[in-house]
């Protein structure tokens, strides 16, 4: 959700866990996605949608936070926003039986990635370096400042802005990515890679920071919200929907817009990523050691951080769509800057 990677579900059947694999497959050099999208016809788009059927069930359990984030945002959608959002998303949804519930569309980009549709894998993370016990000149980490989760938010909105009403597949496709990437951008370990003497190329957002815990590594632990929230299975049934709505209400009650008003003043996605990077350094990597069991204090405190970040992601998603979706103009809520 906001931030959590759906590929946890295939960890045991591949050589490395989701994002770790993504880092290895990363394309160095930005894909010009507008040209890429321009060459995709309806049949390929339907293929992208339908191929995810197999994966959507196999990797369901770590998708729950993404769906909770969407549930938080949905409660703040204006009626016109909700109507237009359904119109755009339905253009692909009605052709694909694997997404019977709106919440599940927040997982769609991870489903594609898990189905080896990897052209946009780099859009899920931004490996800002956290140098820990090593000098930058001694590190070998490659920081891609173009093909990353922050620019994915910029690109998706830019393409949505440019796509006319006759390009419904473009809008439907990119809305799914935008909803998901706003979530990913709020996960501290999606925007950080710890660089150390043991990991001079970075630890792949905590994927190589192994711990004695059911989650196996630090990234998965944060993806699963310290495993404090039961993961909901897909396809969703009514019990699953009720669970998502209950958690959304609980988090919204605890972390209200008023309580987070100062945080919500930050609208530039690069500044948001910087703040999340600082949280990774001060919280994700602090108070825990590799190859050891995380303490109860660590799990409880960081769970609160996860809930706050989910709330921020949901509120920001709703604000952006409310301001721009009803205007046929997705732009400028964030101060977009290409680098």
């Amino acid at each position: 959700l906001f931030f959590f990677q759906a590929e946890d579900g295939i960890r045991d059947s591949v050589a490395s866990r989701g994002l770790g694999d993504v880092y290895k497959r990363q394309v160095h050099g930005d894909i010009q996605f507008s040209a890429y999208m321009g060459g995709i016809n309806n049949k390929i788009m339907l293929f992208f949608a339908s191929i995810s059927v197999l994966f959507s069930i196999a990797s369901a359990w770590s998708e729950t936070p993404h769906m909770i984030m969407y549930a938080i945002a949905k409660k703040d959608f204006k009626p016109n926003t909700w109507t237009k959002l359904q119109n755009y998303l339905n253009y692909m949804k009605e052709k694909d039986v694997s997404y019977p519930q709106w919440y599940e569309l927040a997982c769609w980009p991870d489903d594609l990635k898990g189905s080896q549709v990897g052209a946009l894998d780099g859009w899920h993370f931004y490996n800002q370096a956290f140098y820990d016990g090593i000098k930058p000149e001694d590190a070998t980490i490659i920081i891609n400042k173009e093909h990353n989760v922050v620019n994915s938010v910029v690109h998706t909105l830019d393409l949505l802005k440019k796509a006319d009403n006759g390009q419904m597949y473009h809008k439907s496709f990119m809305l799914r990515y935008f909803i998901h990437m706003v979530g990913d951008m709020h996960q501290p370990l999606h925007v950080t890679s710890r660089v150390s003497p043991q990991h001079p190329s970075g630890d792949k957002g905590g994927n190589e920071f192994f711990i004695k815990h059911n989650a196996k590594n630090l990234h998965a632990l944060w993806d699963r919200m310290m495993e404090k929230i039961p993961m909901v299975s897909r396809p969703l049934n009514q019990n699953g929907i009720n669970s998502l709505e209950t958690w959304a209400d609980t988090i919204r009650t605890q972390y209200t817009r008023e309580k987070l008003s100062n945080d919500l003043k930050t609208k530039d996605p690069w500044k948001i990523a910087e703040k999340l990077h600082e949280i990774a350094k001060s919280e994700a990597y602090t108070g825990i050691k590799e190859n050891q069991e995380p303490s109860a204090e660590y799990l409880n405190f960081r769970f609160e951080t996860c809930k706050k970040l989910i709330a921020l992601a949901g509120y920001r998603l709703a604000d952006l769509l409310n301001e721009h979706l009803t205007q046929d103009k997705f732009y400028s809520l964030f101060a977009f800057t290409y680098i």
Side-chain angles (χ1 to χ4, degrees):
L1 37 136
F2 75 145
F3 31 48
F4 305 94
Q5 207 50 26
E7 289 197 3
D8 276 334
I10 61 172
R11 183 196 335 276
D12 295 334
S13 61
V14 293
S16 65
R17 183 233 177 243
L19 259 191
D21 222 28
V22 170
Y23 275 94
K24 295 175 183 177
R25 300 196 303 264
Q26 180 180 358
V27 178
H28 299 294
D30 188 29
I31 294 176
Q32 297 299 316
F33 193 66
S34 57
Y36 178 72
M37 281 297 297
I40 295 180
N41 59 27
N42 291 356
K43 290 183 180 179
I44 296 178
M45 295 293 285
L46 288 174
F47 165 75
F48 278 172
S50 62
I51 195 173
S52 63
V53 175
L54 294 176
F55 188 73
S56 63
I57 298 175
S59 63
W61 55 324
S62 62
E63 300 156 345
T64 300
H66 272 291
M67 294 189 285
I68 295 174
M69 184 271 298
Y70 179 79
I72 290 172
K74 183 175 178 291
K75 294 176 185 297
D76 283 353
F77 289 159
K78 296 177 181 178
N80 288 345
T81 302
W82 178 232
T83 298
K84 186 154 285 191
L85 189 69
Q86 290 179 86
N87 289 340
Y88 289 156
L89 293 177
N90 246 338
Y91 208 76
M92 289 173 60
K93 181 177 180 290
E94 65 187 7
K95 308 290 196 304
D96 185 8
V97 297
S98 65
Y99 297 90
Q101 301 293 336
W102 294 104
Y103 311 89
E104 296 175 85
L105 293 175
C107 310
W108 192 75
D110 273 344
D111 291 349
L112 290 188
K113 182 158 56 63
S115 299
Q116 305 305 311
V117 181
L120 301 180
D121 282 357
W123 278 28
H124 292 260
F125 63 90
Y126 178 29
N127 58 334
Q128 299 177 96
F130 164 33
Y131 297 104
D132 187 10
I134 189 173
K135 296 179 180 179
E137 57 267 28
D138 296 328
T140 56
I141 186 172
I142 298 174
I143 303 174
N144 195 321
K145 293 187 177 181
E146 294 182 346
H147 195 60
N148 60 55
V149 68
V150 186
N151 255 339
S152 77
V153 173
V154 175
H155 285 309
T156 50
L157 288 184
D158 190 39
L159 286 168
L160 286 166
K161 175 192 173 189
K162 294 175 180 177
D164 60 35
N165 287 331
Q167 296 174 299
M168 292 298 289
Y169 272 113
H170 289 62
K171 288 190 174 182
S172 194
F173 185 102
M174 298 312 292
L175 265 176
R176 286 163 166 75
Y177 263 89
F178 177 71
I179 291 169
H180 183 90
M181 298 311 172
V182 169
D184 276 352
M185 192 172 68
H186 285 77
Q187 213 278 50
L189 295 178
H190 274 248
V191 295
T192 305
S193 186
R194 175 174 171 263
V195 185
S196 65
Q198 295 75 30
H199 304 286
S201 299
D203 69 355
K204 301 178 175 64
N207 281 284
E208 294 182 353
F209 190 110
F210 297 107
I211 56 177
K212 293 182 178 180
H213 188 275
N214 185 56
K216 306 299 184 186
N217 64 62
L218 190 63
H219 190 106
L221 184 66
W222 279 74
D223 272 358
R224 302 178 191 181
M225 297 182 67
M226 311 298 130
E227 297 198 338
K228 297 287 188 179
I229 289 181
M231 296 296 107
V232 176
S233 298
R234 289 172 53 203
L236 288 174
N237 56 27
Q238 191 57 51
N239 287 338
I241 293 172
N242 292 343
S243 178
L244 296 176
E245 291 291 341
T246 297
W247 276 107
D249 289 338
T250 298
I251 292 170
R252 285 174 59 93
T253 299
Q254 184 176 3
Y255 293 100
T256 63
R257 280 182 174 273
E258 182 179 7
K259 188 173 183 177
L260 301 180
S261 58
N262 286 334
D263 296 279
L264 290 170
K265 291 177 182 177
T266 303
K267 301 180 184 298
D268 186 322
W270 297 102
K271 294 187 183 301
I272 293 172
E274 289 175 5
K275 289 179 179 290
L276 270 293
H277 180 61
E278 292 304 314
I279 291 174
K281 292 192 293 183
S282 64
E283 295 194 29
Y285 288 107
T286 299
I288 191 170
K289 294 183 178 180
E290 290 185 82
N291 301 310
Q292 294 188 15
E293 183 178 355
S295 67
E297 181 182 10
Y298 179 95
L299 296 174
N300 292 334
F301 184 79
R302 274 56 176 184
F303 179 50
E304 293 304 315
T305 300
C306 288
K307 288 189 289 183
K308 175 183 176 180
L309 294 176
I310 289 177
L312 283 170
Y315 294 149
R316 283 179 172 136
L317 176 62
D319 289 346
L320 182 60
L321 295 180
N322 283 334
E323 183 169 344
H324 299 284
L325 189 60
T326 54
Q327 302 174 17
D328 285 323
K329 182 178 179 183
F330 298 73
Y331 213 56
S332 81
L333 177 64
F334 289 148
F336 292 111
T337 305
Y338 290 88
I339 64 173

